[in-house]
Amino acid sequence: QVQLVESGGRLVQAGGSLRLSCAGSGRTFSSYAMGWFRQAPGKEREFVAAISWSGGNTYYTDSVKGRFTISRDNAKNTVYLQMNSLKPEDTAVYYCAAHTSLVTTPGAYNYWGQGTQVTVSS
């Protein structure tokens, strides 16, 4: 079992940058693929980015390609989401999640953090 805690969300101006962190507990963290998802008010939770257990494979939704970078440090049991050139439409609660396979469907993920709020002002 994995417990996840996100941090790093805050209010930022459009064009700015943020780095979100997701700290995992448990000895098996490095065996899980990790994903970042977001949910804006009144909208469904959507996939943002995912990374394989080794970090060798990554996927992004089209709207963040070239702006966001997912990475992980298994020695620290942490996965990151570097977000650059932020836009107001990036405003959402951001969640990290763990799964045994590298997938992009939110419903497939077994373990979730509590979320961190990112607000981008125009």
PDB file of all heavy atoms in Angstrom, residues 54-73:
ATOM      1  N   SER A  54      10.490   3.397 -13.432  1.00  0.00           N
ATOM      2  CA  SER A  54      11.914   3.698 -13.590  1.00  0.00           C
ATOM      3  C   SER A  54      12.170   5.145 -13.983  1.00  0.00           C
ATOM      4  O   SER A  54      13.298   5.626 -13.910  1.00  0.00           O
ATOM      5  CB  SER A  54      12.518   2.793 -14.644  1.00  0.00           C
ATOM      6  OG  SER A  54      11.979   3.112 -15.926  1.00  0.00           O
ATOM      7  N   GLY A  55      11.121   5.825 -14.439  1.00  0.00           N
ATOM      8  CA  GLY A  55      11.286   7.173 -14.971  1.00  0.00           C
ATOM      9  C   GLY A  55      11.639   7.198 -16.436  1.00  0.00           C
ATOM     10  O   GLY A  55      11.778   8.263 -17.032  1.00  0.00           O
ATOM     11  N   GLY A  56      11.749   6.045 -17.047  1.00  0.00           N
ATOM     12  CA  GLY A  56      12.177   5.977 -18.428  1.00  0.00           C
ATOM     13  C   GLY A  56      11.106   6.304 -19.448  1.00  0.00           C
ATOM     14  O   GLY A  56      11.413   6.605 -20.602  1.00  0.00           O
ATOM     15  N   ASN A  57       9.861   6.241 -19.035  1.00  0.00           N
ATOM     16  CA  ASN A  57       8.746   6.559 -19.944  1.00  0.00           C
ATOM     17  C   ASN A  57       7.833   7.581 -19.297  1.00  0.00           C
ATOM     18  O   ASN A  57       7.517   7.481 -18.108  1.00  0.00           O
ATOM     19  CB  ASN A  57       7.941   5.292 -20.255  1.00  0.00           C
ATOM     20  CG  ASN A  57       8.724   4.319 -21.108  1.00  0.00           C
ATOM     21  OD1 ASN A  57       9.046   4.605 -22.252  1.00  0.00           O
ATOM     22  ND2 ASN A  57       9.039   3.171 -20.556  1.00  0.00           N
ATOM     23  N   THR A  58       7.420   8.547 -20.096  1.00  0.00           N
ATOM     24  CA  THR A  58       6.511   9.578 -19.619  1.00  0.00           C
ATOM     25  C   THR A  58       5.427   9.840 -20.657  1.00  0.00           C
ATOM     26  O   THR A  58       5.642   9.633 -21.866  1.00  0.00           O
ATOM     27  CB  THR A  58       7.245  10.903 -19.336  1.00  0.00           C
ATOM     28  OG1 THR A  58       7.920  11.333 -20.528  1.00  0.00           O
ATOM     29  CG2 THR A  58       8.255  10.752 -18.214  1.00  0.00           C
ATOM     30  N   TYR A  59       4.266  10.273 -20.189  1.00  0.00           N
ATOM     31  CA  TYR A  59       3.161  10.651 -21.056  1.00  0.00           C
ATOM     32  C   TYR A  59       2.579  11.965 -20.548  1.00  0.00           C
ATOM     33  O   TYR A  59       2.579  12.234 -19.354  1.00  0.00           O
ATOM     34  CB  TYR A  59       2.065   9.580 -21.051  1.00  0.00           C
ATOM     35  CG  TYR A  59       2.459   8.292 -21.703  1.00  0.00           C
ATOM     36  CD1 TYR A  59       2.694   7.151 -20.949  1.00  0.00           C
ATOM     37  CD2 TYR A  59       2.593   8.198 -23.084  1.00  0.00           C
ATOM     38  CE1 TYR A  59       3.054   5.964 -21.532  1.00  0.00           C
ATOM     39  CE2 TYR A  59       2.960   7.004 -23.687  1.00  0.00           C
ATOM     40  CZ  TYR A  59       3.186   5.888 -22.906  1.00  0.00           C
ATOM     41  OH  TYR A  59       3.547   4.706 -23.498  1.00  0.00           O
ATOM     42  N   TYR A  60       2.060  12.751 -21.487  1.00  0.00           N
ATOM     43  CA  TYR A  60       1.449  14.030 -21.155  1.00  0.00           C
ATOM     44  C   TYR A  60       0.170  14.224 -21.947  1.00  0.00           C
ATOM     45  O   TYR A  60       0.071  13.786 -23.099  1.00  0.00           O
ATOM     46  CB  TYR A  60       2.394  15.190 -21.491  1.00  0.00           C
ATOM     47  CG  TYR A  60       3.702  15.165 -20.746  1.00  0.00           C
ATOM     48  CD1 TYR A  60       4.814  14.520 -21.276  1.00  0.00           C
ATOM     49  CD2 TYR A  60       3.816  15.789 -19.507  1.00  0.00           C
ATOM     50  CE1 TYR A  60       6.010  14.490 -20.584  1.00  0.00           C
ATOM     51  CE2 TYR A  60       5.025  15.777 -18.812  1.00  0.00           C
ATOM     52  CZ  TYR A  60       6.107  15.115 -19.362  1.00  0.00           C
ATOM     53  OH  TYR A  60       7.300  15.086 -18.672  1.00  0.00           O
ATOM     54  N   THR A  61      -0.774  14.905 -21.338  1.00  0.00           N
ATOM     55  CA  THR A  61      -1.908  15.335 -22.128  1.00  0.00           C
ATOM     56  C   THR A  61      -1.471  16.465 -23.046  1.00  0.00           C
ATOM     57  O   THR A  61      -0.517  17.201 -22.747  1.00  0.00           O
ATOM     58  CB  THR A  61      -3.062  15.787 -21.203  1.00  0.00           C
ATOM     59  OG1 THR A  61      -4.257  15.931 -21.961  1.00  0.00           O
ATOM     60  CG2 THR A  61      -2.733  17.094 -20.498  1.00  0.00           C
ATOM     61  N   ASP A  62      -2.132  16.602 -24.184  1.00  0.00           N
ATOM     62  CA  ASP A  62      -1.673  17.540 -25.207  1.00  0.00           C
ATOM     63  C   ASP A  62      -1.584  18.976 -24.703  1.00  0.00           C
ATOM     64  O   ASP A  62      -0.691  19.727 -25.108  1.00  0.00           O
ATOM     65  CB  ASP A  62      -2.612  17.484 -26.416  1.00  0.00           C
ATOM     66  CG  ASP A  62      -2.432  16.224 -27.240  1.00  0.00           C
ATOM     67  OD1 ASP A  62      -1.417  15.528 -27.050  1.00  0.00           O
ATOM     68  OD2 ASP A  62      -3.308  15.940 -28.076  1.00  0.00           O
ATOM     69  N   SER A  63      -2.480  19.363 -23.826  1.00  0.00           N
ATOM     70  CA  SER A  63      -2.543  20.762 -23.410  1.00  0.00           C
ATOM     71  C   SER A  63      -1.353  21.192 -22.548  1.00  0.00           C
ATOM     72  O   SER A  63      -1.148  22.390 -22.346  1.00  0.00           O
ATOM     73  CB  SER A  63      -3.846  21.033 -22.649  1.00  0.00           C
ATOM     74  OG  SER A  63      -3.903  20.257 -21.467  1.00  0.00           O
ATOM     75  N   VAL A  64      -0.573  20.242 -22.033  1.00  0.00           N
ATOM     76  CA  VAL A  64       0.567  20.611 -21.193  1.00  0.00           C
ATOM     77  C   VAL A  64       1.909  20.241 -21.820  1.00  0.00           C
ATOM     78  O   VAL A  64       2.957  20.560 -21.259  1.00  0.00           O
ATOM     79  CB  VAL A  64       0.464  19.983 -19.785  1.00  0.00           C
ATOM     80  CG1 VAL A  64      -0.893  20.276 -19.165  1.00  0.00           C
ATOM     81  CG2 VAL A  64       0.733  18.489 -19.809  1.00  0.00           C
ATOM     82  N   LYS A  65       1.882  19.593 -22.962  1.00  0.00           N
ATOM     83  CA  LYS A  65       3.138  19.200 -23.608  1.00  0.00           C
ATOM     84  C   LYS A  65       3.990  20.433 -23.906  1.00  0.00           C
ATOM     85  O   LYS A  65       3.488  21.429 -24.418  1.00  0.00           O
ATOM     86  CB  LYS A  65       2.859  18.432 -24.899  1.00  0.00           C
ATOM     87  CG  LYS A  65       2.381  17.015 -24.686  1.00  0.00           C
ATOM     88  CD  LYS A  65       2.125  16.301 -26.010  1.00  0.00           C
ATOM     89  CE  LYS A  65       1.630  14.892 -25.785  1.00  0.00           C
ATOM     90  NZ  LYS A  65       1.302  14.212 -27.065  1.00  0.00           N
ATOM     91  N   GLY A  66       5.257  20.333 -23.563  1.00  0.00           N
ATOM     92  CA  GLY A  66       6.161  21.451 -23.772  1.00  0.00           C
ATOM     93  C   GLY A  66       6.171  22.456 -22.632  1.00  0.00           C
ATOM     94  O   GLY A  66       7.028  23.336 -22.591  1.00  0.00           O
ATOM     95  N   ARG A  67       5.211  22.343 -21.718  1.00  0.00           N
ATOM     96  CA  ARG A  67       5.156  23.270 -20.569  1.00  0.00           C
ATOM     97  C   ARG A  67       5.383  22.553 -19.235  1.00  0.00           C
ATOM     98  O   ARG A  67       5.983  23.125 -18.333  1.00  0.00           O
ATOM     99  CB  ARG A  67       3.788  23.968 -20.524  1.00  0.00           C
ATOM    100  CG  ARG A  67       3.483  24.791 -21.749  1.00  0.00           C
ATOM    101  CD  ARG A  67       2.224  25.640 -21.542  1.00  0.00           C
ATOM    102  NE  ARG A  67       1.033  24.831 -21.292  1.00  0.00           N
ATOM    103  CZ  ARG A  67       0.257  24.962 -20.209  1.00  0.00           C
ATOM    104  NH1 ARG A  67       0.556  25.840 -19.274  1.00  0.00           N
ATOM    105  NH2 ARG A  67      -0.822  24.199 -20.065  1.00  0.00           N
ATOM    106  N   PHE A  68       4.888  21.336 -19.120  1.00  0.00           N
ATOM    107  CA  PHE A  68       5.003  20.579 -17.871  1.00  0.00           C
ATOM    108  C   PHE A  68       6.000  19.442 -18.047  1.00  0.00           C
ATOM    109  O   PHE A  68       6.110  18.858 -19.122  1.00  0.00           O
ATOM    110  CB  PHE A  68       3.658  19.976 -17.476  1.00  0.00           C
ATOM    111  CG  PHE A  68       2.608  20.961 -17.039  1.00  0.00           C
ATOM    112  CD1 PHE A  68       2.766  22.339 -17.190  1.00  0.00           C
ATOM    113  CD2 PHE A  68       1.424  20.512 -16.462  1.00  0.00           C
ATOM    114  CE1 PHE A  68       1.789  23.235 -16.786  1.00  0.00           C
ATOM    115  CE2 PHE A  68       0.435  21.383 -16.048  1.00  0.00           C
ATOM    116  CZ  PHE A  68       0.618  22.745 -16.215  1.00  0.00           C
ATOM    117  N   THR A  69       6.681  19.102 -16.960  1.00  0.00           N
ATOM    118  CA  THR A  69       7.607  17.969 -16.959  1.00  0.00           C
ATOM    119  C   THR A  69       7.397  17.154 -15.697  1.00  0.00           C
ATOM    120  O   THR A  69       7.455  17.699 -14.583  1.00  0.00           O
ATOM    121  CB  THR A  69       9.064  18.440 -17.019  1.00  0.00           C
ATOM    122  OG1 THR A  69       9.263  19.248 -18.186  1.00  0.00           O
ATOM    123  CG2 THR A  69      10.005  17.248 -17.068  1.00  0.00           C
ATOM    124  N   ILE A  70       7.166  15.859 -15.881  1.00  0.00           N
ATOM    125  CA  ILE A  70       7.049  14.957 -14.747  1.00  0.00           C
ATOM    126  C   ILE A  70       8.377  14.243 -14.553  1.00  0.00           C
ATOM    127  O   ILE A  70       9.059  13.882 -15.522  1.00  0.00           O
ATOM    128  CB  ILE A  70       5.896  13.942 -14.954  1.00  0.00           C
ATOM    129  CG1 ILE A  70       5.650  13.129 -13.679  1.00  0.00           C
ATOM    130  CG2 ILE A  70       6.152  13.043 -16.154  1.00  0.00           C
ATOM    131  CD1 ILE A  70       4.387  12.262 -13.744  1.00  0.00           C
ATOM    132  N   SER A  71       8.753  14.064 -13.296  1.00  0.00           N
ATOM    133  CA  SER A  71       9.996  13.358 -12.991  1.00  0.00           C
ATOM    134  C   SER A  71       9.835  12.683 -11.636  1.00  0.00           C
ATOM    135  O   SER A  71       8.855  12.939 -10.915  1.00  0.00           O
ATOM    136  CB  SER A  71      11.189  14.327 -12.972  1.00  0.00           C
ATOM    137  OG  SER A  71      11.017  15.316 -11.957  1.00  0.00           O
ATOM    138  N   ARG A  72      10.781  11.829 -11.300  1.00  0.00           N
ATOM    139  CA  ARG A  72      10.702  11.157 -10.013  1.00  0.00           C
ATOM    140  C   ARG A  72      12.095  10.904  -9.472  1.00  0.00           C
ATOM    141  O   ARG A  72      13.062  10.772 -10.231  1.00  0.00           O
ATOM    142  CB  ARG A  72       9.921   9.850 -10.113  1.00  0.00           C
ATOM    143  CG  ARG A  72      10.552   8.766 -10.935  1.00  0.00           C
ATOM    144  CD  ARG A  72       9.577   7.604 -11.153  1.00  0.00           C
ATOM    145  NE  ARG A  72       9.176   6.985  -9.893  1.00  0.00           N
ATOM    146  CZ  ARG A  72       8.104   6.201  -9.769  1.00  0.00           C
ATOM    147  NH1 ARG A  72       7.330   5.972 -10.819  1.00  0.00           N
ATOM    148  NH2 ARG A  72       7.807   5.655  -8.597  1.00  0.00           N
ATOM    149  N   ASP A  73      12.163  10.807  -8.148  1.00  0.00           N
ATOM    150  CA  ASP A  73      13.384  10.463  -7.453  1.00  0.00           C
ATOM    151  C   ASP A  73      13.023   9.316  -6.508  1.00  0.00           C
ATOM    152  O   ASP A  73      12.475   9.543  -5.423  1.00  0.00           O
ATOM    153  CB  ASP A  73      13.924  11.665  -6.675  1.00  0.00           C
ATOM    154  CG  ASP A  73      15.256  11.396  -6.004  1.00  0.00           C
ATOM    155  OD1 ASP A  73      15.606  10.215  -5.828  1.00  0.00           O
ATOM    156  OD2 ASP A  73      15.930  12.362  -5.652  1.00  0.00           O
TER     157      ASP A  73
END
